[in-house]
Amino acid sequence: MAAGFFDAPVHALARGLIGCSLLYEGRGGVIVETESYDRDDPACHAFRGLTPRTEVMFGPPGRAYVYLSYGIHALLNIVAEPEGHAAAVLIRALEPTVGIEEIRKRRPGHADQQLCSGPGRLTTALGIGLEENGAEIDRQPFEVLGRDGAWSVVEVHEAPRIGITKGVDLPWRFSAAGNRFVSRPHPW
């Protein structure tokens, strides 16, 4: 990605990532769903300020903010906006396109559309763990590629976020309209 791509308003970045590709250790796919969180949002981890857990969110844009959700799943976010602003984009779902056999081995018994359809499923399928917290998202083992081909123009659907208890009415869930790899409940 171009220098400065991640140094953008968090909601614009969340929308702009739809149709881009995310790879981790050479496997991944097209981002089809994201959610955005900023410091003034009560659902954002940084809402109460700087803590050891949220330090990465206050850092430079383009870093991975990986945290443990409910003690079970590591979730991947990409830090947005200038350093000190504390905003991040949750990567909710991918349409797997690269390294699918390895992804299937990590999520055996699941249909392809369920391999990466949810933030916990996605990190399990790609093998992303807490050790990646703070890593640069545009350097190995990560790679983010811009939209191309059929994805160069994609209709992005906006809806309220899911899986949270605060700020639930805010329309900051972004998805590729009609894409079957989006997590449930489908926003359309």
Side-chain angles (χ1 to χ4, degrees):
M1 298 303 289
F5 178 79
F6 302 104
D7 187 2
V10 68
H11 309 304
L13 179 61
R15 173 182 272 283
L17 283 166
I18 302 298
C20 293
S21 292
L22 170 69
L23 304 179
Y24 179 76
E25 294 182 343
R27 59 189 167 271
V30 178
I31 299 170
V32 296
E33 184 180 8
T34 62
E35 287 182 350
S36 54
Y37 295 86
D38 69 29
R39 185 179 186 170
D40 296 328
D41 172 4
C44 181
H45 292 166
F47 183 70
R48 290 195 167 92
L50 179 65
T51 67
R53 179 185 189 191
T54 63
E55 183 176 12
V56 170
M57 289 184 75
F58 285 86
R63 300 292 174 130
Y65 170 50
V66 184
Y67 66 90
L68 197 60
S69 176
Y70 300 110
I72 302 171
H73 299 290
L75 301 188
L76 173 66
N77 295 258
I78 300 174
V79 175
E81 302 196 9
E83 191 165 351
H85 283 244
V89 175
L90 173 65
I91 308 301
R92 283 202 58 83
L94 293 179
E95 180 175 329
T97 58
V98 180
I100 295 175
E101 289 308 315
E102 179 67 23
I103 290 171
R104 286 180 182 136
K105 287 178 187 175
R106 292 175 175 275
R107 301 251 311 125
H110 295 280
D112 284 358
Q113 70 189 38
Q114 295 176 337
L115 293 172
C116 300
S117 65
R121 292 175 178 179
L122 184 152
T123 54
T124 299
L126 300 185
I128 298 170
L130 297 176
E131 70 279 359
E132 297 302 343
N133 188 44
E136 294 181 56
I137 202 75
D138 60 351
R139 301 215 189 290
Q140 293 297 325
F142 289 102
E143 187 174 6
V144 179
L145 307 169
R147 296 175 179 174
D148 66 350
W151 288 99
S152 61
V153 177
V154 60
E155 180 184 347
V156 178
H157 182 85
E158 296 179 11
R161 298 171 297 182
I162 58 176
I164 56 175
T165 58
K166 299 174 183 171
V168 295
D169 57 332
L170 299 171
W172 294 339
R173 179 184 181 199
F174 303 92
S175 61
N179 187 284
R180 64 188 182 108
F181 293 88
V182 169
S183 63
R184 294 183 182 257
H186 290 146
W188 50 85

